[in-house]
Amino acid sequence: MIQENIQTVQANIAQACRRVNRDPAEVTLIAVSKTKPLSDIEEAISCGMTDFGENKVQELLEKTEHVTTPVQWHLIGHLQTNKVRYVVDKGFLIHSVDSVRLARELQKEAVKKQAHCNILLEVNVAKEETKFGFAYEDVLDAISEIAPFSNVHIQGLMTIAPFVENPEENRDIFAKLHKLSLDIKSRNIDNVNMSVLSMGMTNDYMVAVEEGATMVRVGTGIFGTRNYMI
Ligand SMILES: *Cc1c(COP(=O)(O)O)cnc(C)c1O
């Protein structure tokens, strides 16, 4: 089941790339394994998956401890400042930096641990009250505050688009984030790399790829529906 699902998602990504003349190699598929058992992760690894996403620190740490194959882990859920010390030196890509205060805390802990930390800035493009993330208008100011941090490195932007029936409804959101990343890139700011655009989930990853996503975060589409009893 997992193997078929991965093949389907990869084929869909390739097709979306073809529609807009992109190279599928530009798009990293992150398997979002939250709530799923280690055996599912192992199965996905055996199918060639190299990137996994978790949204809770505790669950992420438990899983990284047990998965011995070297894979790239992504923290995609909200990070509280009091948990920064657990994640800052683990080589995770942290997609969910949503305040300057959090970035400052990452910097402080990274310096203390002599580590370096790669982050994305989460942008609440759709202005949903229930979601975390910088307001679109505030991203440039945030970048000018975070860029000077010696041990924290901005690699790009991330957004969680609204849940919609028709993924086309999110196209403008993805296009807007892409435009912002190009604008930032053109400014050539020291210690700011805009190579990552993390957007698109099971429901809308194809549209996100058409609009320039370099990372898509797919959970249900790979592992099936989640069991929140865990
Ligand atoms: C759970 C989650 C996903 C994956 O969602 P699916 O709809 O199951 O693909 C992607 N991104 C974030 C931030 C998530 O929390």
Side-chain angles (χ1 to χ4, degrees):
M1 189 60 176
I2 290 175
Q3 179 170 23
E4 277 175 32
N5 288 344
I6 290 171
Q7 284 168 354
T8 302
V9 173
Q10 280 169 337
N12 287 339
I13 291 171
Q15 235 169 48
C17 284
R18 230 171 287 130
R19 285 194 288 272
V20 293
N21 278 317
R22 294 187 64 198
D23 178 355
E26 290 172 18
V27 183
T28 300
L29 171 57
I30 300 172
V32 177
S33 46
K34 65 192 186 198
T35 79
K36 295 295 175 181
L38 288 169
S39 55
D40 281 8
I41 296 176
E42 296 295 353
E43 190 173 341
I45 290 172
S46 73
C47 299
M49 290 301 304
T50 55
D51 288 74
F52 291 85
E54 289 286 338
N55 69 337
K56 294 209 171 92
V57 168
Q58 183 66 29
E59 189 175 348
L60 173 60
L61 293 174
E62 276 169 28
K63 284 176 172 167
T64 56
E65 210 177 290
H66 288 99
V67 174
T68 50
T69 313
V71 296
Q72 175 66 52
W73 292 96
H74 302 258
L75 178 61
I76 60 177
H78 178 63
L79 174 59
Q80 292 169 290
T81 48
N82 62 354
K83 296 199 172 143
V84 158
R85 63 183 184 277
Y86 303 117
V87 298
V88 75
D89 59 342
K90 303 289 198 304
F92 306 149
L93 177 62
I94 302 174
H95 291 229
S96 43
V97 174
D98 52 13
S99 68
V100 174
R101 176 169 165 260
L102 175 60
R104 192 175 292 120
E105 204 58 35
L106 286 162
Q107 161 70 1
K108 218 168 76 186
E109 283 294 324
V111 168
K112 202 189 285 180
K113 293 192 152 82
Q114 295 185 296
H116 285 266
C117 184
N118 288 323
I119 65 166
L120 308 180
L121 300 188
E122 179 173 351
V123 187
N124 187 356
V125 183
K127 294 185 159 56
E128 288 182 285
E129 277 180 24
T130 52
K131 294 218 171 105
F132 293 102
F134 290 99
Y136 194 87
E137 305 75 37
D138 296 341
V139 174
L140 271 169
D141 282 345
I143 287 181
S144 60
E145 290 195 64
I146 298 169
F149 294 169
S150 56
N151 294 39
V152 169
H153 311 292
I154 299 173
Q155 303 294 335
L157 305 176
M158 176 270 218
T159 198
I160 303 174
F163 184 79
V164 289
E165 284 296 320
N166 178 0
E168 285 297 332
E169 291 174 43
N170 283 337
R171 187 179 291 278
D172 284 353
I173 288 169
F174 298 142
K176 217 174 150 191
L177 193 68
H178 189 195
K179 185 169 168 290
L180 178 62
S181 88
L182 291 175
D183 176 19
I184 295 164
K185 195 181 283 183
S186 73
R187 293 169 191 248
N188 289 317
I189 305 164
D190 262 6
N191 193 31
V192 176
N193 187 336
M194 278 288 131
S195 59
V196 178
L197 202 50
S198 168
M199 55 188 198
M201 304 170 30
T202 297
N203 195 43
D204 55 17
Y205 67 88
M206 287 179 261
V207 175
V209 166
E210 287 172 6
E211 295 301 331
T214 70
M215 287 185 183
V216 293
R217 311 176 306 265
V218 178
T220 317
I222 290 177
F223 297 110
T225 49
R226 282 181 286 275
N227 177 3
Y228 275 106
M229 300 304 285
I230 293 171

